[in-house]
Amino acid sequence: MTKPVAETKRARGAITTPPLSPSVRRHLGKSLRSHFADSLTEPVGERLETLIDRLDTPQDHTTHP
């Protein structure tokens, strides 16, 4: 879950800008969800599937120098 804007730490020397209004955040969220909705139903590419499988496989760290 994401933290509210008020709870996030600002980097040193960062320029502070006012947070986005709730209505702008809702609009952006809806737009992003509708834009990426199709990608959730598309098949995963072979290379990405291989990488995901590697993440699921435990590695033996004793064989690596």
Side-chain angles (χ1 to χ4, degrees):
M1 183 170 232
T2 59
K3 292 182 179 182
V5 175
E7 292 182 22
T8 58
K9 292 182 179 179
R10 301 218 189 274
R12 288 185 190 175
I15 299 171
T16 57
T17 57
L20 298 174
S21 70
S23 63
V24 170
R25 292 172 57 151
R26 270 192 302 277
H27 174 74
L28 287 172
K30 287 179 182 179
S31 296
L32 289 170
R33 278 191 291 280
S34 67
H35 181 74
F36 288 106
D38 292 339
S39 65
L40 296 175
T41 59
E42 293 177 3
V44 176
E46 184 178 324
R47 186 170 192 281
L48 184 56
E49 192 169 338
T50 302
L51 291 172
I52 292 170
D53 288 341
R54 286 179 55 195
L55 288 173
D56 289 337
T57 306
Q59 295 182 352
D60 182 11
H61 295 288
T62 59
T63 60
H64 299 286

